[in-house]
Amino acid sequence: DVPVAVNLAAANIVDVTLPAAIGELLERHGVAADRLECEISEHTVMADPVRATAVLAGLRELGVGLSLDDFGTGHSSLSYLKRLPLDEVKIDRSFVAGMADDENDAVIVRSTIDLARNLGLRVVAEGVETAEIMDTLRELRCDVAQGYHISRPLPAGDLDLQALSVSLRGPARKPSSSSALS
């Protein structure tokens, strides 16, 4: 019962048959839709924003989670947060990793957390490499952290859910490399 996140490419996000295909696969394999999260980047949505929005709405109707990945690296971040049926925003690692040394990165991370939370979105900080950054994110009330400080990527067979259960209290979506910050 481990959630899985899948990155969608631009070709996927404009394919109007994608929601039906994913729905069929979930049913065939007996997987609840809320165990799947589709990650999109602002760049993929920009390929065709109208069709992308329709495809995302179809995925949302299935109950699939939707995450905006690499937030802050695209051109229309705020308009996407407002229009897309998202559950989560993942702050790009370039801001998170630099927040201990660069006040501008810290302001961007802090502001993004506040903005996303006020919009009712879960916030994931990517690229958490140190305990100092983890502690700062906890103070900022970031929902989930992801990065090498928590765990390096590892094969599914090496994943020990019992060992991670203490740090996974909350809405963490990627147990092998994420941790809830509650």
Side-chain angles (χ1 to χ4, degrees):
D1 190 31
V2 176
V4 175
V6 176
N7 290 311
L8 296 180
N12 302 125
I13 204 66
V14 296
D15 180 355
V16 295
T17 66
L18 182 68
I22 287 178
E24 179 184 316
L25 289 168
L26 290 171
E27 187 174 324
R28 181 183 326 150
H29 295 285
V31 175
D34 68 349
R35 306 318 293 162
L36 176 64
E37 181 173 282
C38 290
E39 296 184 4
I40 58 167
S41 69
E42 295 170 53
H43 303 293
T44 60
V45 174
M46 289 175 64
D48 186 338
V50 173
R51 281 188 14 191
T53 301
V55 170
L56 293 175
L59 292 171
R60 167 55 72 83
E61 286 178 29
L62 288 173
V64 171
L66 299 172
S67 179
L68 186 60
D69 198 11
D70 302 328
F71 182 76
T73 61
H75 301 289
S76 301
S77 302
L78 297 178
S79 68
Y80 290 134
L81 281 182
K82 178 180 160 184
R83 289 187 295 146
L84 296 176
L86 300 170
D87 299 296
E88 174 179 277
V89 172
K90 297 178 85 172
I91 304 172
D92 188 71
R93 69 185 321 105
S94 63
F95 302 114
V96 174
M99 65 187 281
D101 302 320
D102 185 332
E103 182 57 30
N104 288 331
D105 283 344
V107 167
I108 290 169
V109 171
R110 185 171 44 252
S111 300
T112 302
I113 291 170
D114 288 343
L115 174 65
R117 290 181 66 82
N118 285 322
L119 290 171
L121 301 172
R122 184 175 49 247
V123 184
V124 177
E126 297 180 309
V128 177
E129 309 296 327
T130 67
E132 177 186 8
I133 290 175
M134 183 82 153
D135 290 342
T136 300
L137 291 167
R138 192 174 280 117
E139 289 171 19
L140 294 173
R141 296 182 42 228
C142 185
D143 297 306
V144 178
Q146 182 177 352
Y148 287 171
H149 176 69
I150 298 140
S151 175
R152 299 243 177 215
L154 36 108
D158 293 347
L159 179 63
D160 182 352
L161 292 178
Q162 295 287 51
L164 290 173
S165 65
V166 173
S167 65
L168 291 176
R169 285 174 276 150
R173 302 287 286 195
K174 293 184 178 179
S176 65
S177 60
S178 298
S179 178
L181 293 174
S182 55

